[in-house]
Amino acid sequence: MCGIVGYIGRKRAKTVLIEGLKRLEYRGYDSAGLAAVVDGHLAVCKSPGRISNLEALLAERPEFAESHIGIAHTRWATHGAPNEVNAHPHLSDDKQIALVHNGIIENYSPLKQLLESKGHVFVSETDTEVLANLIAEFYRTSGTLELAVQQALREVTGTYGIAVLSVREPDRLVVARKGSPLIIGVGQEEYVVASDASAIVEHTANVVYLNDNEMAVINGCGMRTITIDNVPVSKQVEQIEYSLEEIALGGYEHFMLKEIFEQPEAIRNCLRGRLDLREGRVQLGGLEAISRELVKARRVIFTGCGTAWHAGLIGEYLFEDLARIPAETEYASEFRYRNPIVEFGTAVVAISQSGETADTLAALREARDKGALALGIVNVVGSTLARQTDAGVYLHAGPEIGVASTKAFTCQVVVEALLALYLGRRRYMSQEYMAEMMQGLLAIPDQITSVLEQSDQIREVAGKFIDCENWLFLGRGYNYPVALEGALKLKEISYIHAEGLAAAEMKHGPIALIHEGMPVVVVTPACMTYDKILSNIEEVRARGGKIIAVATEGDREIHKYAEHVFYVPDCPKSLQPLLTVIPLQLLAYHAAVLRGCNVDKPRNLAKSVTVE
């Protein structure tokens, strides 16, 4: 959600900034803009809509061509409509300060009233313009941009990742963060600032991650990092773990399709080095420091948002089934507002692909404040979630660009299985069962590959139902969360209304929705409730619904009940979601493409939701 890019160095800033914004398009946005110091003044160009609109405007503005310092932004509207006036960068009313901002200034209204009383004039509806003028107000007396930014941020309540320019200090870029990610790429006589490493990796693999309440002052001579309270901070230069090639389409039509087909390799990478077959043990280096405390946990709470919440539901089943630990799953957005009970011996597992999801971070802080052991399951190395947990496990799924999560979801489930086995073996699990589960996990990548071979068949089935505006997804046990995830994928990218249900709950109300020709997707692999699910299917068929089933290879009985069947290989029941979700991902993808939807950039959605 929103994207920041800043540059200072020898290259043409405009080129670096525009290319950086394009790398951040997947995060979601509705306007874009750029500011640079040009011949003693701040030149600004902004446009609603796509970055291509901004590029076209910049082509008519030759003054930007030679600037070597600038800031740029893609905005996802919060305060004010997505138009040119509200787009970033924002200038102070004296045209001395330019600012881009991710996050929300919660106390912008009283600050705005104070600034208006001092004569400042506002032209936008945004909270960001308030911060630009607040910095300008302090700049009048502080003498330096660095001090003005520090003083202004001490008055701010809320979240921010910011990059600031001043016409009075044309060779200086000041950046700061609190609750919104900001990374500084360190190159050869150049620095690239961004809210996501994908905008940096083309220029350098060396990065510095700012923590909350930290800022950096960057000029041609180097970079200095300090806190908002002016305390020097020593930062370590780290390495971005992926390459430019990994964030390219690589011959696929869409990133979502690429990432669906990357799942076998992503899971291999997730498992690599973590299964000791000789000793029959799971090795998770990120948990070594807290392993004793974790083994003694009496209760586990999974928390996340959207797809990560669905992964948490599967984690709940895995922990109770394999580790015999009471577990529950909470929406991160609700967790901290309902005064949750966090008893002694509670571990909270926060799940997030980006590691920057605002609601998940807030839930994590609430849990830690109440004394919980805080664990993270996250994909992005160096993310805020990774730094704020007591311990955690990285997915190593590689960058996920498509807004609708696919490979991150399956890798989250793999990590949950590893965690459950890690604890289960130390508590109750036999060596024999452990060995069976480890072999099951190792077989999953090849089994997913076989499921992916049905992509063309799934596209044909999707084509039969794309005009239907209401779908149901049904599942039981481990596959109930899969039904929820399948419904979410379909509505996220195809804009079809879909509802996921525990199959037995259908008759307690939702059965009233079923009508002639309605598609109902039923996840029905071999399991102890198989006969029960067949009964649920009969209830749908009796009312004219059309059944699309996901079944275990070799199941011929299902053809008596379903119009269409997608098969998955047999595997341990606790690993079934890793296979049964694949046809549902492909079904959603093909339905969206056939309906002419923008698969990688669905309307109103953002990849990383960094505001509440």
Side-chain angles (χ1 to χ4, degrees), residues 419-482:
L419 279 168
L421 293 172
Y422 179 88
L423 293 176
R425 182 70 185 108
R426 286 162 172 76
R427 293 165 66 100
Y428 305 107
M429 189 179 293
S430 69
Q431 179 104 10
E432 181 181 3
Y433 189 67
M434 181 71 171
E436 178 186 337
M437 289 299 301
M438 292 171 75
Q439 291 297 337
L441 274 171
L442 289 171
I444 288 293
D446 287 339
Q447 291 179 320
I448 289 178
T449 298
S450 71
V451 179
L452 291 170
E453 292 171 358
Q454 299 173 74
S455 180
D456 290 344
Q457 176 196 348
I458 293 170
R459 181 174 63 246
E460 290 180 14
V461 173
K464 297 178 186 295
F465 296 102
I466 58 170
D467 293 327
C468 299
E469 294 298 331
N470 294 284
W471 294 44
L472 281 181
F473 287 72
L474 306 179
R476 299 186 74 136
Y478 277 100
N479 288 294
Y480 161 52
V482 173

Side-chain angles (χ1 to χ4, degrees), residues 355-388:
E356 305 294 349
T357 308
D359 286 321
T360 305
L361 290 169
L364 179 71
R365 287 190 285 269
E366 178 73 11
R368 293 195 73 180
D369 288 346
K370 292 182 179 293
L373 177 65
L375 306 179
I377 296 176
V378 64
N379 193 34
V380 178
V381 175
S383 60
T384 302
L385 182 65
R387 295 197 301 275
Q388 292 189 357

Side-chain angles (χ1 to χ4, degrees), residues 266-309:
I267 290 174
R268 288 189 187 98
N269 290 336
C270 187
L271 291 172
R272 187 167 286 117
R274 290 172 168 172
L275 294 178
D276 184 343
L277 296 176
R278 178 174 296 180
E279 296 294 328
R281 296 173 65 87
V282 171
Q283 301 177 137
L284 297 170
L287 302 183
E288 287 181 0
I290 52 87
S291 60
R292 287 181 176 273
E293 187 177 357
L294 181 57
V295 169
K296 295 176 183 177
R298 300 177 180 178
R299 173 173 170 244
V300 174
I301 301 173
F302 293 94
T303 188
C305 302
T307 288
W309 183 75

